[in-house]
Amino acid sequence: MKRIFLLCLTLFLSACGQSDNITGDPNSPGYVATQYFYALYNHNDLEGATEHASPKLARIMRSYGTASQFARNLVNMQFDEVTIELDRTEMSVRQQFGNKATINLIFTGQFQGKKVDDMRSVKMVKEGGRWMITEIVADPFGR
């Protein structure tokens, strides 16, 4: 009985500390990609986003100085508020067990009072048991 109580208490306390509605396996590439963009857009936290980036991408990100500068110039998306979802239409089981993955994310949000829908793909690698974003694929229809 004590074990069940402690398990419930642990789950409750860990849920209270979670401010985002990111669900799924924390070791999956989709979860890490979602965390990356939540840090970038919803928390305006450049350093938090770099935790999920490869060292090369993290250097590029820091060169922009702020999360909003990076998002506006390199990612080419801006939001006042945004919801991020995984596009699961092309996901395969191999991504969960391989060392490379391409993840598609759907962004739905507001910018200056207007609804904005967008989509981005990120390339990821698994190094040292951790998924990291190595590249944000350029929008083929942008600029």
Side-chain angles (χ1 to χ4, degrees):
M1 187 67 173
K2 285 183 183 180
R3 286 185 181 171
I4 293 173
F5 176 73
L6 288 175
L7 178 64
C8 290
L9 182 63
T10 303
L11 288 173
F12 175 74
L13 290 176
S14 65
C16 290
Q18 183 106 359
S19 61
D20 298 322
N21 292 328
I22 303 172
T23 59
D25 178 10
N27 297 318
S28 71
Y31 186 88
V32 173
T34 305
Q35 279 188 317
Y36 173 83
F37 283 106
Y38 259 92
L40 201 60
Y41 285 108
N42 291 338
H43 299 292
N44 201 25
D45 182 8
L46 187 67
E47 282 305 310
T50 60
E51 292 175 10
H52 307 293
S54 68
K56 180 181 176 183
L57 180 58
R59 276 192 309 275
I60 293 168
M61 292 172 66
R62 287 186 187 106
S63 72
Y64 283 90
T66 65
S68 59
Q69 284 289 344
F70 173 74
R72 178 176 42 249
N73 293 299
L74 193 70
V75 183
N76 195 21
M77 290 191 307
Q78 292 179 295
F79 297 99
D80 295 326
E81 59 183 59
V82 67
T83 303
I84 304 164
E85 296 179 47
L86 284 175
D87 178 18
R88 298 183 187 275
T89 56
E90 294 184 23
M91 261 189 196
S92 73
V93 176
R94 288 187 307 151
Q95 290 177 343
Q96 300 295 324
F97 301 105
N99 291 327
K100 293 183 180 181
T102 300
I103 302 296
N104 298 319
L105 297 129
I106 301 167
F107 298 82
T108 305
Q110 297 281 325
F111 181 64
Q112 297 179 344
K114 296 179 182 171
K115 185 177 179 190
V116 178
D117 292 316
D118 214 327
M119 185 173 180
R120 283 293 181 278
S121 295
V122 292
K123 293 188 179 184
M124 303 181 73
V125 296
K126 190 174 189 178
E127 291 180 4
R130 237 182 97 203
W131 284 103
M132 294 183 290
I133 295 175
T134 57
E135 179 185 351
I136 300 168
V137 179
D139 180 6
F141 303 107
R143 293 189 211 190

